[in-house]
Amino acid sequence: MVPTPVFRDRRGDDRQAIYSGFCALVRCVPEWSEDVLLERLLRGCSSRYPDYLKEHDSIYVCSDSSWVHLIDDLSYTTDGLIELRSRLDELGKRFDVFYGSLGDWDRSYDFTVHRSGKIVRREDVDDPRSDTGRSGPGYVGLYVHESIGDLLRPEQALMQAVEEGRVEDPDQDRLLAIASYLGVDLNHRTLSVRTLPLVSLL
């Protein structure tokens, strides 16, 4: 599996160097602590791949002044929890919530933004690559499973940058740009990041 940098500035600034294929951000500080959020979101969740769930599988947790950050390990262990996304959507009725993932070797991605108690933006895009790769015969391109809401300002800016040739592969930049637009502090070198065993939280 190729590490996918969700939280990373690809322009040379490694202050955001936490690598993950899935993240969830909840704007619940100071009402809820990290531990309260973990309890509400994860307790009782079951894995889609229970035979692969190991004691050393981890989740990374930190907070800025407003948001609790939940960051998956490189095996997508947290994203593999069956109930997690529905619980995040339910939590979005109370708090602003942003979560999203990137494919580990293809260009698939998804993200959801809850603001003011409702989903304002959601996109789920698949990359059904053939065995011959992205440019080989049989490749049909990206497929949009779902798209809700108008493009956010950072999405519009990213599309323009792609059209102008300033960005070649926008997938990783997309989640960073949306998180920054929502006011998330992505400087994880200055935040206190905890590494927790996922199985102890379920």
Side-chain angles (χ1 to χ4, degrees):
M1 176 179 295
V2 179
T4 304
V6 171
F7 290 99
R8 176 176 177 267
D9 188 332
R10 300 194 310 166
R11 293 169 288 268
D13 185 349
D14 67 350
R15 293 177 305 166
Q16 301 168 1
I18 289 180
Y19 294 85
S20 174
F22 172 79
C23 65
L25 305 163
V26 181
R27 191 175 185 178
C28 60
V29 178
E31 186 173 347
W32 284 10
S33 67
E34 295 173 5
D35 291 334
V36 169
L37 179 61
L38 289 168
E39 175 73 22
R40 301 287 183 92
L41 274 181
L42 302 182
R43 188 66 66 192
C45 281
S46 51
S47 175
R48 290 186 179 86
Y49 316 105
D51 294 341
Y52 296 96
L53 191 60
K54 308 299 182 187
E55 290 188 5
H56 64 266
D57 290 329
S58 300
I59 184 171
Y60 305 94
V61 184
C62 63
S63 300
D64 59 35
S65 60
S66 300
W67 298 78
V68 175
H69 308 204
L70 307 180
I71 305 165
D72 207 352
D73 61 17
L74 290 179
S75 298
Y76 295 82
T77 310
T78 303
D79 193 27
L81 298 178
I82 296 171
E83 302 86 355
L84 179 61
R85 289 176 180 243
S86 62
R87 291 186 181 185
L88 284 166
D89 287 337
E90 186 65 26
L91 201 59
K93 298 176 182 178
R94 178 172 181 176
F95 300 112
D96 289 354
V97 172
F98 169 58
Y99 63 86
S101 68
L102 298 172
D104 56 351
W105 61 278
D106 58 19
R107 292 187 58 196
S108 60
Y109 68 89
D110 71 86
F111 66 87
T112 297
V113 178
H114 291 261
R115 299 186 82 173
S116 303
K118 63 181 181 179
I119 296 175
V120 297
R121 186 77 176 102
R122 170 175 278 169
E123 188 150 279
D124 184 1
V125 176
D126 192 19
D127 184 12
R129 294 175 62 174
S130 68
D131 292 338
T132 56
R134 189 176 299 164
S135 60
Y139 178 64
V140 297
L142 299 179
Y143 176 77
V144 180
H145 286 286
E146 185 177 23
S147 184
I148 297 174
D150 296 330
L151 290 177
L152 301 174
R153 191 178 307 155
E155 293 181 89
Q156 296 171 356
L158 196 56
M159 288 179 62
Q160 182 175 348
V162 171
E163 292 174 359
E164 295 174 353
R166 293 182 285 113
V167 174
E168 185 173 327
D169 189 353
D171 302 332
Q172 296 166 8
D173 289 332
R174 182 180 290 104
L175 294 186
L176 275 172
I178 294 173
S180 295
Y181 170 74
L182 295 174
V184 179
D185 182 356
L186 296 176
N187 190 347
H188 288 105
R189 289 195 180 276
T190 64
L191 301 176
S192 179
V193 181
R194 293 190 292 162
T195 303
L196 303 175
L198 183 63
V199 291
S200 69
L201 303 171
L202 303 181

